[in-house]
Amino acid sequence: MASLSTHVLDTSHGCPAAGVALRLLDGDGAMLFAAATDADGRCPGLPALAQGRYRLEFAVAPYFAGRGVDLPDPPFLDIIVLDFGIADEAHYHVPLLVSPYGYSTYRGS
């Protein structure tokens, strides 16, 4: 089993993104975990994962609206979907750097 972590950083405000709702789904779309990021933009408690395909969904529009950002209707970014694979029993870190109009991710350590 592989361990998984994530970290959401708000690049428009230069801080961790606290309170971002996220969901982890398996390759068949079954929900495995749902929570929100903590004050440091992290989400403790993500389950260990077997080899396979997974999806992380981050609800960023409600986060930015809650910070008072004036978003268009509909927002440019609402739910960010990251599909990724687990190929071995290593640790997988999936950070999300996000603003109302762009994001990036990578496999961290």
Side-chain angles (χ1 to χ4, degrees), residues 5-60:
S5 62
T6 190
H7 191 191
V8 183
L9 299 168
D10 177 345
T11 58
S12 64
H13 291 99
C15 63
V20 175
L22 66 89
R23 299 185 334 150
L24 173 66
L25 298 91
D26 68 16
D28 295 322
M31 189 170 55
L32 303 175
F33 181 83
T37 55
D38 64 14
D40 192 37
R42 299 179 186 275
C43 192
L46 287 161
L49 301 173
Q51 183 178 354
R53 296 182 186 278
Y54 296 91
R55 170 175 287 179
L56 277 168
E57 298 177 346
F58 299 88
V60 298

